[in-house]
Amino acid sequence: MDSIRVFAGDCTVTFEGSRDRTQRGRVVVVAKPDRTVLVHDAGGYQPVAWLTRADSLTVESGPGSFGLVARAGDQTLTVESNDVTGRAEYPASDAGVPVGSHPDTGDPLVRTNGSVVALDSGTEYRLPAGGTVLDETCDDCGLPLLRVERGAPFEVCIDRRCDPLDDRVKARFDGEWSCPDCGSPLRIIRRRGRLLAGCDAYPECETAFSLPAGVVGDDCDCGLPMFETSRGRRCLDSTCEVR
């Protein structure tokens, strides 16, 4: 698991770059896993010095001193301790919306950055675009259920190994539509990470359409299905100009 390092003491802080500045005071220095460095003093909510997502971060820590050098492009933030008050390292994770706990370990689960993540173990369940995590849990494994629209609404487990969304969509729509170029059935497939309706005559016919996040309504004038999405109506063929 990632960790946040915290240093405190009487420090000299030097910033070189967009504006050169040197400060000294009893401060708290926070070094985050993404190499962001924040220097806080007693006043205000904003750091007195910082460098976000540095290209490089060097930390030197001895029995009675510590020092940090963070560089990003032509900017450099240097922190040198004159007197050390304390230092510590704490496990850290992304913060997200609570969505329950892991049924086996009790590990808290949160939704963040397109995934459900277990806070302690770091186990990650990637979510399909447009998915909504539900209060209900999976009957088989106890993890939260997910509601996602791919032609129709489906409720599946967040663990794709337990209840694959692809299998549900394939059972409902495989062969349901015809290829507009050669008339062969369109098969539900996953290719290069995308869920597609692809021509059964591949590779002779390479026609394929990415399935949008939405529900099938009526048919488009071109013969393919029309989807009702959060952004309005659209044909399965995203290049189709019919609305």
Side-chain angles (χ1 to χ4, degrees):
M1 178 177 288
D2 291 329
S3 62
I4 292 176
R5 289 171 287 183
V6 181
F7 305 88
D10 171 7
C11 299
T12 299
V13 181
T14 303
F15 184 85
E16 301 172 87
S18 56
R19 58 187 183 94
D20 294 347
R21 187 176 185 182
T22 298
Q23 301 164 282
R24 178 171 175 171
R26 289 199 170 273
V27 296
V28 173
V29 184
V30 179
K32 299 175 65 177
D34 65 354
R35 297 186 299 279
T36 292
V37 177
L38 309 170
V39 182
H40 292 273
D41 68 354
Y45 68 91
Q46 186 169 324
V48 295
W50 66 92
L51 198 58
T52 303
R53 296 192 175 108
D55 299 325
S56 65
L57 172 62
T58 302
V59 179
E60 296 181 354
S61 182
S65 65
F66 63 82
L68 295 86
V69 179
R71 292 187 173 89
D74 59 355
Q75 300 183 100
T76 302
L77 175 62
T78 304
V79 180
E80 298 178 297
S81 66
N82 304 300
D83 177 53
V84 178
T85 303
R87 73 194 86 195
E89 185 170 342
Y90 302 103
S93 71
D94 291 333
V97 178
V99 292
S101 59
H102 197 286
D104 296 329
T105 65
D107 203 352
L109 299 173
V110 298
R111 177 171 183 167
T112 178
N113 298 326
S115 298
V116 170
V117 180
L119 286 186
D120 295 332
S121 68
T123 301
E124 181 178 5
Y125 303 96
R126 294 292 300 172
L127 302 180
T132 301
V133 181
L134 305 175
D135 292 334
E136 293 85 3
T137 57
C138 175
D139 291 337
D140 294 327
C141 73
L143 285 167
L145 289 177
L146 170 77
R147 185 183 189 277
V148 60
E149 294 179 349
R150 290 295 185 273
F154 298 95
E155 292 187 4
V156 296
C157 181
I158 62 170
D159 187 347
R160 297 184 183 186
R161 297 169 300 178
C162 175
D163 187 9
L165 173 64
D166 292 16
D167 290 353
R168 297 280 203 97
V169 179
K170 186 172 184 177
R172 174 64 180 82
F173 292 110
D174 192 62
E176 182 80 5
W177 312 303
S178 298
C179 174
D181 294 325
C182 73
S184 298
L186 290 175
R187 300 298 185 186
I188 303 301
I189 58 174
R190 183 168 291 275
R191 185 183 300 160
R192 297 177 182 174
R194 296 189 303 159
L195 193 60
L196 307 174
C199 183
D200 191 43
Y202 178 87
E204 287 76 16
C205 179
E206 297 183 349
T207 299
F209 306 103
S210 179
L211 285 176
V215 176
V216 172
D218 51 9
D219 289 335
C220 179
D221 290 344
C222 73
L224 291 171
M226 189 73 77
F227 284 71
E228 302 290 340
T229 76
S230 60
R231 296 184 179 181
R233 285 162 49 86
R234 57 150 286 188
C235 179
L236 174 65
D237 180 357
S238 62
T239 65
C240 181
E241 297 181 356
V242 178
R243 291 290 184 269

